[in-house]
Amino acid sequence: MTQRTVLFALFDAVQSLDVTGPLEVFAGAEKHRPGTYDLRTASLDGAPVRSSSGLTLVPDQGLGDRLDAHTTLVVPGGQGTRTPNPGLVEWLREHGPRAERLVSVCTGAILLAAAGLLDGRRATTHWAYCDKLARDHPGVEVDPDPIYVRDGHVATSAGVTSGIDLALALVEEDLGRDVALGIARHLVVFLRRPGNQAQFSAQLAAQTAQREPLREVQRWITEHPDTDLSVEALAARASLSPRHFARAFQAETGMTPGRYVDRVRLEHARRLLEDTGDGIEEISRASGYGTPEAMRRAFLKALGAAPAEYRRRFHPAPAR
């Protein structure tokens, strides 16, 4: 197969893990299949850069005038994206469209957006910066939920470790599933997550309600996903009318009761599939779905994989 260049664009105050995480994935693939990837790091002028943690990174080269037709350009994030280097943004604007694949990690999406490379595309970034990305660049369809998003030849990922997940997905695309899984095992990346997996849990995704009755309802939902969690039942626990409860819950947590319940049940079922040997039917009842078919529909809608496939991917193999 044709050798691909994977070029990492470096800048001052870059997040070092955004660089080294995906870099280790591609390096592992190159060791497994020599000649697959030509890995390079480059800063605007070829000078060393200092990462946000104080680590100095010495690039292989400066960002040149041309990108090879088979280049995957990786733009990491970090504190340096808060006040982007105008020269780097301009370089991305001019040369980014020539990349075979354009990839961002974390707030690297802000640099791509500043260069106009995400206009009209669906994208994500670290959850803490999704609002900023959407506000500053209304032409970008920002999805705050997935750990990575692929829209044509452009791929954007969420916080630091999700860059590893995206790199593994690209390696799988290039070299197949077995190679990607082998790299994941070597890096002790236990769960190679699909891109549409949520960035964080239901409890973190929602705000904690201010009023104690609503906080108690949140705890109850988490601890009892297999019970009646209708608005009427939850409102009764909070001693509120269903209409008042639904309005207050959304106002204080940022999501409707139904969406919160859906996330908690999905998260509970995922955890049982990953950590236990319980059967699909048992897990569907314990998670509040009632039937395996109802759980299957929920998994396909949220994760793009049926429960059995999800378990196959993410349940650890027994030790031998």
Side-chain angles (χ1 to χ4, degrees):
M1 63 176 295
T2 303
Q3 185 182 56
R4 282 185 165 90
T5 298
V6 182
L7 178 65
F8 289 79
L10 306 184
F11 50 88
D12 283 323
V14 69
Q15 163 64 257
S16 58
L17 277 176
D18 288 2
V19 179
T20 58
L23 183 60
E24 288 291 347
V25 172
F26 288 111
E30 172 61 19
K31 290 177 183 176
H32 189 89
R33 296 270 184 88
T36 300
Y37 297 114
D38 177 16
L39 306 177
R40 303 180 188 180
T41 57
S43 65
L44 195 59
D45 56 2
V49 301
R50 190 171 178 83
S51 74
S52 56
S53 64
L55 180 68
T56 296
L57 302 176
V58 181
D60 299 313
Q61 61 188 62
L63 289 169
D65 295 332
R66 293 184 58 191
L67 289 180
D68 182 270
H70 300 287
T71 295
T72 296
L73 177 61
V74 181
V75 182
Q79 294 177 7
T81 64
R82 296 178 185 175
T83 53
N85 182 321
L88 176 58
V89 172
E90 186 55 36
W91 186 91
L92 290 171
R93 188 190 312 278
E94 181 178 355
H95 300 285
R98 303 175 188 172
E100 179 184 27
R101 295 186 299 209
L102 192 56
V103 175
S104 70
V105 183
C106 196
T107 54
I110 292 176
L111 298 179
L112 295 186
L117 299 173
L118 297 183
D119 288 346
R121 295 186 181 276
R122 179 169 165 260
T124 194
T125 187
H126 190 288
W127 61 267
Y129 294 92
C130 283
D131 286 346
K132 173 179 171 55
L133 181 61
R135 182 176 62 251
D136 294 349
H137 302 281
V140 181
E141 182 187 347
V142 180
D143 189 340
D145 286 333
I147 59 173
Y148 64 81
V149 167
R150 300 191 66 180
D151 187 334
H153 75 290
V154 179
T156 53
S157 60
V160 287
T161 59
S162 64
I164 295 176
D165 296 294
L166 177 52
L168 285 166
L170 296 175
V171 167
E172 180 174 345
E173 178 181 282
D174 295 340
L175 301 177
R177 179 178 176 81
D178 290 344
V179 174
L181 284 175
I183 296 167
R185 293 190 188 102
H186 179 73
L187 295 177
V188 199
V189 182
F190 210 47
L191 303 181
R192 191 170 59 84
R193 302 173 293 178
N196 50 9
Q197 184 163 326
Q199 290 193 33
F200 36 51
S201 68
Q203 288 74 20
L204 288 177
Q207 305 168 43
T208 300
Q210 297 177 2
R211 286 179 277 180
E212 177 56 32
L214 296 180
R215 289 201 300 271
E216 194 280 330
V217 167
Q218 284 182 286
R219 289 193 294 268
W220 173 264
I221 293 171
T222 302
E223 295 169 1
H224 302 87
D226 58 336
T227 58
D228 179 6
L229 298 179
S230 64
V231 169
E232 291 74 16
L234 296 175
R237 293 198 65 84
S239 299
L240 297 171
S241 71
R243 184 177 180 181
H244 186 191
F245 167 78
R247 186 167 57 244
F249 190 95
Q250 182 166 8
E252 294 196 20
T253 67
M255 64 176 63
T256 65
R259 189 178 183 200
Y260 188 81
V261 168
D262 288 343
R263 288 195 173 200
V264 167
R265 283 178 167 160
L266 184 70
E267 185 178 331
H268 186 265
R270 280 172 35 205
R271 189 161 53 246
L272 291 178
L273 288 167
E274 293 166 9
D275 298 341
T276 76
D278 296 347
I280 299 295
E281 186 170 352
E282 183 180 357
I283 290 174
S284 67
R285 289 197 304 268
S287 302
Y289 290 110
T291 67
E293 179 56 28
M295 185 169 77
R296 179 177 178 275
R297 289 196 299 269
F299 266 65
L300 288 173
K301 180 180 179 180
L303 302 175
E309 170 63 12
Y310 184 90
R311 167 169 274 173
R312 187 178 74 82
R313 292 184 185 179
F314 305 123
H315 185 66
R320 294 184 178 179

